[in-house]
Amino acid sequence: MNIVMRTDERCIDLAIDKRECIVFKLSRTEIVKLLSSDEESSILSEVQKQGSTKLPSNKSVLVLGDNATGKTTLIAKLQGVENPKKGSGLEYAYIDVKDEYRDDMTRLSVWVLDGDPGHKNLLHFALNKNNYTHTLVILTVSMTQPWFWLNQLTHWIKVLSEHIESLHLEPEEKQEARQRLVATWQSYCEVGDDLDAGSPVKRTMRNNSIDEDDLLPLTDGALLTNLGLDIVVVVTKTDYMTTLEKEYDYRDEHFDFIQQWIRRFCLQHGSSLFYTSVKEDKNCDLLYKYLTHRIYGLPFRTPALVVEKDAVLIPAGWDSLKKIEILCENMNSCKEVDYYTDIITPPPSRKAVSNREIEVQTEDEQAFLARQQEIIKQSVQVRGESPLRSQASKAMPRTPGSAGQSSPKKMEAKLNTSTPGTEGVLANFFNSLLHKKSGSPATPPSAISTPRTNGSDSLLTPDKLSVRTDAAAELDRLARSVKKDVDFTQSDC
């Protein structure tokens, strides 16, 4: 006879499984009459134990990791919040946990510590002597910067270890927590074995008690560093793997080397491993179920996932060194014994100044003004030399003593019509302009008093002929004015 019991404050329900299910609602006095004393005590103790198995409300999760590793976004995803708001220092949140089998609900407290090392003193609010045995720790690293994983995980394990030492826990309590973690690893079995009635996991889920005879030996390399806390290492932003392949030339063996290294780290510290992506919603729901499994004992029937490189799932107790060595078989350019940062090196820093404008250095004011003065002087000298002056200076020969101031007699000699003077220069200049296009030789002023009609001048239009006539008349006027000035000078002498 299989007896299934449900209890409340007043009565106990007994269901006898046969071909038909018959439910009897009996009082405690009537049950005593039906059962013997031994059966009575065993059934009542079982009922009392089942009646008190409600989800506890003193459990908590502590999230540690560097800044920009996605801690706040990950917790918001587990909460079901779409727009997370990042705080500072030590953030507090909670996750609603529901047990569908017992129709019970509770809240899981979540503490998120800022990645700034100056906030380590806030750890005693989230992890203290009272909740040490009721706390699970999540360590986060980001796939956007895998070259920092070694330093980040080593740093936070050291911070966590030093903080636990500062709690001054009782040796018995600390040893009990460590032994509980060892028992969790030893009692792990594959999900397929859960169908067996004698499976340790099945008995753990029912009565949370394991016989020592059912415990398996601890695998090599596991729990070398035992802090007595359940630890889950979460790799966030795994969707960035495609960017690593395109921009940094990462290949499958790089990701295999990264995975085998972090699995060795988790094996050494007794940690679980999850590759997650909030953007693509990978393994987020499984992480929620696994947390409730480790904290509240709720069932978790998902096996280890190692096929997809961006959605790895390694439950605590499943991994071993032999399973990790399978990844090393596909690595050619690197080996598992290589130092992590020798293979996964930081990319060369890009020059941030390339998009900036070149900074201009100011020149001394006096030097700038002196340079501008020289430029102005040079431009004035160039503008002062006209073609007329240059030709006049070439046409007038210098005589001894001409460097000084000229006397009236010397000025008379310069203005004498018998020598090539100003009028000759003007005549030659205008003749060169008039006959530039036609190519005819220059003629004296007397010869251009009337326009010619032979040669190339016959091809000129009436307008051009009138312009040439006006130019000849202007030359005659200049010649007469020069002659008058010469005669006036001679009369004065």
Side-chain angles (χ1 to χ4, degrees):
M1 180 178 65
N2 187 12
I3 301 178
V4 181
M5 297 173 293
R6 294 194 303 268
T7 181
D8 55 20
E9 295 181 354
R10 295 184 178 180
C11 63
I12 300 174
D13 294 343
L14 295 180
I16 303 175
D17 289 339
K18 292 183 179 179
R19 294 183 179 180
E20 296 180 0
C21 182
I22 304 173
V23 178
F24 298 91
K25 184 170 290 187
L26 304 175
S27 64
R28 294 180 184 273
T29 306
E30 294 173 338
I31 291 177
V32 172
K33 293 180 179 179
L34 292 175
L35 302 175
S36 62
S37 59
D38 296 336
E39 294 176 345
E40 173 191 359
S41 59
S42 61
I43 291 177
L44 291 178
S45 62
E46 185 73 16
V47 170
Q48 184 178 3
K49 187 175 182 179
Q50 290 185 2
S52 61
T53 54
K54 292 186 178 181
L55 295 179
S57 59
N58 59 345
K59 302 294 184 178
S60 62
V61 172
L62 174 60
V63 184
L64 302 176
D66 282 23
N67 291 329
T69 55
K71 301 188 298 291
T72 304
T73 306
L74 178 65
I75 297 303
K77 180 65 175 179
L78 299 180
Q79 289 178 300
V81 179
E82 295 182 357
N83 298 320
K85 295 181 180 180
K86 180 175 175 55
S88 60
L90 183 64
E91 302 178 58
Y92 174 77
Y94 65 87
I95 301 175
D96 291 327
V97 179
K98 184 177 181 181
D99 184 3
E100 298 178 355
Y101 298 94
R102 302 169 185 168
D103 195 16
D104 191 14
M105 181 180 293
T106 187
R107 285 183 175 179
L108 175 62
S109 300
V110 180
W111 299 92
V112 182
L113 184 66
D114 194 282
D116 190 350
H119 295 141
K120 291 190 299 182
N121 58 335
L122 301 176
L123 266 177
H124 68 277
F125 292 104
L127 180 60
N128 48 55
K129 190 175 182 179
N130 298 327
N131 65 351
Y132 169 73
T133 58
H134 304 288
T135 302
L136 182 143
V137 178
I138 293 179
L139 299 179
T140 60
V141 289
S142 176
M143 186 59 75
T144 57
Q145 295 177 330
W147 41 86
F148 291 148
W149 287 9
L150 174 62
N151 294 333
Q152 290 176 358
L153 292 175
T154 305
H155 166 71
W156 287 111
I157 285 293
K158 181 180 179 182
V159 169
L160 189 60
S161 178
E162 292 177 352
H163 178 71
I164 293 174
E165 292 296 329
S166 66
L167 297 179
H168 301 292
L169 299 171
E170 296 294 334
E172 295 80 7
E173 183 180 3
K174 187 183 298 185
Q175 183 62 28
E176 182 181 354
R178 292 176 177 176
Q179 189 61 34
R180 177 182 54 83
L181 192 59
V182 172
T184 302
W185 271 72
Q186 291 177 323
S187 61
Y188 178 83
C189 68
E190 298 291 342
V191 177
D193 297 337
D194 187 52
L195 300 176
D196 184 10
S199 171
V201 172
K202 194 175 185 68
R203 288 200 296 275
T204 302
M205 294 170 55
R206 284 189 173 184
N207 50 25
N208 294 326
S209 63
I210 307 175
D211 296 334
E212 294 184 359
D213 297 336
D214 295 331
L215 295 179
L216 299 175
L218 198 61
T219 182
D220 294 336
L223 283 173
L224 299 180
T225 303
N226 191 344
L227 300 180
L229 292 173
D230 288 333
I231 300 177
V232 179
V233 177
V234 178
V235 178
T236 61
K237 305 178 184 179
T238 57
D239 53 277
Y240 195 76
M241 285 184 173
T242 56
T243 305
L244 292 176
E245 293 175 342
K246 294 178 181 179
E247 296 186 2
Y248 301 102
D249 196 23
Y250 271 52
R251 299 182 298 274
D252 288 339
E253 59 180 349
H254 290 91
F255 296 116
D256 291 341
F257 181 82
I258 293 173
Q259 185 187 143
Q260 65 90 22
W261 179 87
I262 198 169
R263 284 173 62 178
R264 291 177 188 273
F265 176 88
C266 293
L267 183 66
Q268 178 182 352
H269 296 84
S271 308
S272 309
L273 177 62
F274 275 77
Y275 276 32
T276 63
S277 173
V278 175
K279 182 179 180 180
E280 297 183 357
D281 195 14
K282 288 189 176 181
N283 281 352
C284 295
D285 293 339
L286 293 178
L287 177 60
Y288 169 80
K289 294 180 179 179
Y290 187 75
L291 293 178
T292 58
H293 165 67
R294 293 299 300 268
I295 296 173
Y296 300 105
L298 299 182
F300 181 78
R301 297 184 175 88
T302 303
L305 305 175
V306 293
V307 177
E308 298 183 10
K309 62 182 180 180
D310 57 346
V312 178
L313 190 162
I314 307 293
W318 177 86
D319 216 352
S320 63
L321 292 177
K322 292 183 179 180
K323 295 178 181 178
I324 296 174
E325 290 175 356
I326 297 176
L327 289 171
C328 303
E329 297 176 357
N330 300 324
M331 296 188 301
N332 298 323
S333 61
C334 55
K335 299 179 181 180
E336 66 275 11
V337 295
D338 293 337
Y339 195 66
Y340 182 78
T341 53
D342 292 341
I343 305 301
I344 310 301
T345 58
S349 58
R350 299 178 180 178
K351 296 182 179 180
V353 190
S354 58
N355 296 330
R356 298 181 182 177
E357 296 181 358
I358 301 176
E359 184 178 358
V360 179
Q361 299 291 336
T362 58
E363 187 180 0
D364 183 66
E365 182 180 359
Q366 297 301 324
F368 172 77
L369 293 176
R371 186 164 54 83
Q372 296 300 323
Q373 186 178 10
E374 293 296 330
I375 294 174
I376 293 174
K377 287 181 180 180
Q378 293 176 4
S379 63
V380 170
Q381 292 177 0
V382 173
R383 291 177 183 176
E385 296 180 358
S386 62
L388 184 61
R389 291 183 180 180
S390 61
Q391 291 183 12
S393 61
K394 294 178 181 179
M396 292 187 295
R398 291 181 177 269
T399 57
S402 63
Q405 185 177 0
S406 299
S407 62
K409 292 184 179 180
K410 293 178 180 180
M411 291 294 296
E412 178 183 355
K414 290 180 182 180
L415 296 175
N416 191 1
T417 56
S418 61
T419 60
T422 306
E423 62 176 327
V425 173
L426 292 174
N428 293 333
F429 174 71
F430 280 104
N431 275 325
S432 65
L433 293 177
L434 291 173
H435 297 281
K436 185 176 182 180
K437 293 184 179 181
S438 60
S440 60
T443 57
S446 59
I448 60 174
S449 58
T450 58
R452 295 184 301 174
T453 58
N454 57 351
S456 60
D457 293 340
S458 61
L459 301 176
L460 298 176
T461 60
D463 295 336
K464 292 183 179 180
L465 290 175
S466 62
V467 171
R468 180 169 292 183
T469 303
D470 294 338
E474 182 65 20
L475 289 175
D476 293 339
R477 186 184 65 79
L478 291 174
R480 289 194 298 270
S481 62
V482 170
K483 186 176 182 181
K484 289 180 181 181
D485 293 338
V486 172
D487 293 340
F488 179 75
T489 303
Q490 292 177 355
S491 63
D492 290 340
C493 295

